[in-house]
Amino acid sequence: MGRNAVRVDTERGRLLTARRYDESDVRIRPGKSSRPRTKTRPEHNDAEAGMVVSVDRGRWGCVLGGDPSRPVVTMRARELGRTPIVVGDEVDIVGDLSGKVDTLARIVRVAERRTVLRRTADDTDPFERVVVANADRLLIVAALADPPPRTGFVERALVAAYVGGLEPVLCLTKSDLADPAEFTAAFTDLDLPVVLAGQSEDLTEVTAMLTDKVTALVGHSGVGKSTLVNRLVPDAYRATGVVSGVGKGRHTSTQSVALPLPGGGWVVDTPGIRSFGLAHISPENVVAAFSDLAGTIEDCPRGCTHLGPPADPECALDTLTGDPARRVAAVRLLLEAVRTNEAW
């Protein structure tokens, strides 16, 4: 019998043809190439160096060669996967580098970070957030009044700066409303530079300190941080906002952005911070940031929190005298602020 067999439909009295299939009827769907996938990636030898100055919904604003007059909009190259990229990152860029409207280049490499400013949402959150990368200094902006200053926030920002490798500077606004001496006395033994930046203050000292550096600014909403940025970078057009609570004003800046200083350098304006969690920082991290104390804690018993008696009666830091001993007292205030998660 051939390929087509004949059978009778007894009910309807007609002949039906039944199709028989053989190998010639089988169709194989074309598959993917059998060539093994290579792990070799392009070297991108023609990539140009740049710095990330803004982040917005999967797009990164960069400047080529650190030159503010050469901005480009970029995306993250596929080979980078989910590699985090933040403001301040030094990157290599390929593609359309013209900077024209609607053009898009690609970030293909992210350089190792020299410094990082990290925080967590709170002290129980295990997820670290890198706020700024590669900043030289951290300008901690606090108001001397309206809202009143809180040492807790400054202490926590200091811890983040010391551990992340940034040089901290305390910047006090609204200095015409209160005397800064009492507030700054708590930080004397940390050798913390203090500058005044009230609206009536001359900013020559502040500007000189920031020139040719990358400086991150942090502070509660309402302390005058955006007003300060507008004075440092006259064409920044940052919103100033209105305080809506005691030290808890609404956010007037929602994304970190790096702004070029007229005399050279960058200031990174960060959103008004409501919390500065330090879940990722241990007491050893804090003490190790001070070269004159780092070696001493090697003699501490296991599990020492370095807070001293009565919590740590055998803490090796208690053997120090003179200036190092005073530094220990100041550092322990930082450790206590981290441990107690006190209001800031």
Side-chain angles (χ1 to χ4, degrees):
M1 185 177 290
R3 290 182 59 187
N4 296 331
V6 178
R7 64 185 177 86
V8 178
D9 185 343
T10 57
E11 294 182 358
R12 299 187 181 182
R14 63 181 179 181
L15 297 179
L16 298 178
T17 302
R19 178 73 181 268
R20 293 186 177 181
Y21 297 93
D22 59 23
E23 63 275 5
S24 64
D25 294 293
V26 178
R27 295 183 180 180
I28 300 175
R29 179 179 297 175
K32 296 182 179 179
S33 172
S34 59
R35 184 177 61 182
R37 185 175 181 179
T38 177
K39 294 184 178 180
T40 303
R41 294 290 182 265
E43 295 185 2
H44 299 298
N45 293 324
D46 59 341
E48 189 162 349
M51 170 183 161
V52 178
V53 297
S54 64
V55 181
D56 185 18
R57 292 171 294 184
R59 295 292 182 264
W60 288 263
C62 302
V63 292
L64 299 175
D67 185 351
S69 67
R70 300 182 64 198
V72 294
V73 178
T74 67
M75 62 179 291
R76 180 170 48 197
R78 179 176 297 179
E79 57 261 36
L80 291 181
R82 294 184 177 273
T83 301
I85 303 174
V86 301
V87 170
D89 267 327
E90 296 169 354
V91 296
D92 287 341
I93 306 171
V94 300
D96 192 334
L97 306 182
S98 66
K100 295 179 180 178
V101 177
D102 295 331
T103 60
L104 194 62
R106 288 182 296 131
I107 295 175
V108 294
R109 280 188 293 268
V110 182
E112 184 177 353
R113 293 163 177 163
R114 301 187 308 275
T115 68
V116 287
L117 178 64
R118 294 187 179 97
R119 73 180 184 95
T120 56
D122 55 52
D123 284 349
T124 61
D125 182 4
F127 183 73
E128 299 177 21
R129 293 162 177 80
V130 177
V131 182
V132 181
N134 299 317
D136 302 294
R137 291 197 169 105
L138 178 65
L139 199 67
I140 306 168
V141 184
L144 287 169
D146 191 28
R150 301 288 183 89
T151 58
F153 173 80
V154 175
E155 288 165 345
R156 284 171 163 265
L158 286 173
V159 168
Y162 291 136
V163 173
L166 291 76
E167 177 188 347
V169 177
L170 179 58
C171 179
L172 300 176
T173 63
K174 305 182 184 181
S175 51
D176 55 327
L177 301 179
D179 184 355
E182 181 178 355
F183 182 68
T184 58
F187 311 106
T188 300
D189 293 321
L190 294 173
D191 296 331
L192 175 66
V194 179
V195 294
L196 300 181
Q199 291 192 12
S200 60
E201 304 284 347
D202 181 73
L203 294 184
T204 301
E205 181 182 2
V206 179
T207 302
M209 187 175 290
L210 306 186
T211 299
D212 294 329
K213 303 288 184 181
V214 177
T215 305
L217 276 67
V218 296
H220 281 313
S221 295
V223 298
K225 179 169 59 68
S226 292
T227 299
L228 174 61
V229 172
N230 284 332
R231 293 181 65 192
L232 293 171
V233 188
D235 58 350
Y237 301 115
R238 305 296 286 173
T240 54
V242 178
V243 175
S244 60
V246 180
K248 302 289 183 180
R250 63 180 175 86
H251 292 260
T252 56
S253 305
T254 57
Q255 297 286 341
S256 295
V257 60
L259 303 166
L261 289 165
W266 297 82
V267 291
V268 182
D269 187 13
T270 64
I273 292 177
R274 296 175 184 269
S275 64
F276 215 117
L278 301 174
H280 58 292
I281 292 177
S282 69
E284 285 74 18
N285 296 148
V286 179
V287 180
F290 297 86
S291 58
D292 55 343
L293 307 181
T296 304
I297 63 172
E298 294 179 2
D299 297 326
C300 287
R302 184 175 181 180
C304 183
T305 63
H306 313 304
L307 289 170
D312 303 296
E314 299 180 7
C315 181
L317 293 177
D318 290 321
T319 64
L320 299 176
T321 59
D323 288 341
R326 287 191 291 273
R327 176 105 59 194
V328 169
V331 171
R332 280 175 170 166
L333 290 177
L334 302 183
L335 293 173
E336 184 65 20
V338 175
R339 185 186 71 84
T340 59
N341 191 19
E342 69 178 52
W344 57 86

